[in-house]
Amino acid sequence: MHSNAQQQNQAALSRYSGRFAPSPTGPLHFGSLITAVASYCEAKSQHGRWIVRIEDTDIPRIYSGSEQHILSCLDAFGFESDAEIIFQKDRLHIYESVLGHLQSQDLIYACQCTRKMLGSNHIYTGTCRHLGLSFDQQAIRVKVSEQNIQFHDLLQGQQSANLALELGDFVLKRRDGIINYQLAVVVDDYLQGISHVVRGADLLDNTARQIWLGRLLGYPELCYMHLPLAMNDRGAKLSKQNHAQALDITQSSTLLLKALIALGQLPVDLDQPERMLTQAVAQWDRRQIPKGGEIRGIFA
Ligand code: GLU
């Protein structure tokens, strides 16, 4: 399977490759800026590459115009992707072919259960695992096992999850045909030769699923670093769903400085964003990032 890509992947893995992978479900906000800054500085301070990927498979949740807003925002903040920016909605055939591979290995199955049938704890008990349903217009689930999945997160420390007990077989493709984030992210991190994932701690509990899927596909394991989440002064997470304020590109230098300070870094001189990022990379010290799950403040 994807043998050329496999070779490219091996070559790329010999050095640090990081990424910033926003979903265009709304404009970028201060929490997104923290992730962009940290993933960028981690990669560049290790002489690695840093790429941008737009994760837009969940069409119903895409907010029209936000892809463009994200790209111009990154530009205004001085970020430049080291590879062509890919859009996942153009790569559905790749995810389908990976599903085909998993099907040929009997690692996935079709499921007709509705959300209601899952019960209140949302753990899927494998009702459809042995029914041999046709894949047409059904959700597709991947089989999980009871083994503990352990990994060391560079900020959050040792992590362990048991997918069978905590979640059950999980969905890779929805009944409406939408490819799930878990599948697209694992395939693209692999095909793009990503070695390090730096993202918000709200995604920490997705990681075991992604490691499991990567193992089933024979992909090398990645390093993970989950950043504390920016909270507003009322203690709520800044998120697109909470309608966090969009980044104001006319304030890019000031906001960059605030993001670096929120990440525990030494301040940089107020300047053009590109020059501020260069200084931030030179001073970058991961050990200063607050360890817990949250960063509080007034981030507008
Ligand atoms: N697309 C995801 C988001 O915007 C991030 C995915 C990731 O970093 O793994 O929340």
Side-chain angles (χ1 to χ4, degrees), residues 119-264:
S120 54
N121 62 8
H122 293 286
I123 298 173
Y124 185 66
T125 50
T127 317
C128 297
R129 221 192 221 224
H130 304 290
L131 297 185
L133 298 171
S134 144
F135 276 42
D136 255 14
Q137 292 175 21
Q138 301 288 14
I140 308 297
R141 289 184 186 268
V142 63
K143 298 177 183 174
V144 299
S145 85
E146 268 193 30
Q147 82 196 54
N148 273 334
I149 295 185
Q150 303 195 347
F151 64 98
H152 181 79
D153 186 90
L154 290 175
L155 278 179
Q156 310 297 334
Q158 195 59 25
Q159 307 289 320
S160 171
N162 187 308
L163 291 175
L165 300 183
E166 292 164 22
L167 181 74
D169 300 339
F170 59 94
V171 172
L172 297 185
K173 184 179 174 182
R174 298 192 326 220
R175 184 191 309 266
D176 61 5
I178 300 280
I179 296 288
N180 193 294
Y181 153 68
Q182 312 292 348
L183 175 64
V185 81
V186 168
V187 170
D188 283 339
D189 279 345
Y190 170 69
L191 290 177
Q192 295 196 288
I194 298 302
S195 62
H196 287 70
V197 171
V198 176
R199 59 187 177 193
D202 51 340
L203 292 167
L204 185 60
D205 68 356
N206 290 267
T207 308
R209 272 173 261 185
Q210 295 167 14
I211 291 175
W212 173 250
L213 199 49
R215 283 186 191 163
L216 293 182
L217 290 162
Y219 298 168
E221 210 148 298
L222 309 179
C223 288
Y224 292 94
M225 176 164 138
H226 286 86
L227 302 161
L229 295 181
M231 314 292 277
N232 64 23
D233 48 354
R234 295 180 305 280
K237 179 185 109 170
L238 298 187
S239 73
K240 293 167 193 155
Q241 288 73 25
N242 282 349
H243 307 291
Q245 194 177 334
L247 286 174
D248 178 354
I249 56 172
T250 66
Q251 298 295 317
S252 55
S253 300
T254 320
L255 287 168
L256 257 185
L257 184 58
K258 283 192 179 178
L260 285 163
I261 289 170
L263 284 162

Side-chain angles (χ1 to χ4, degrees), residues 31-93:
S32 333
L33 181 62
I34 287 192
T35 304
V37 168
S39 59
Y40 182 88
C41 290
E42 270 289 297
K44 294 293 168 177
S45 63
Q46 297 184 56
H47 310 288
R49 47 176 215 137
W50 179 85
I51 62 175
V52 175
R53 179 172 74 223
I54 302 293
E55 302 207 317
D56 51 359
T57 54
D58 195 351
I59 313 277
R61 289 185 57 229
I62 302 301
Y63 186 87
S64 147
S66 59
E67 289 170 4
Q68 222 25 65
H69 176 272
I70 289 173
L71 297 181
S72 29
C73 206
L74 288 174
D75 207 39
F77 280 82
F79 295 105
E80 202 183 326
S81 177
D82 290 323
E84 196 188 332
I85 297 175
I86 63 169
F87 292 76
Q88 290 187 324
K89 70 170 177 328
D90 300 335
R91 298 164 63 79
L92 300 180
H93 59 290

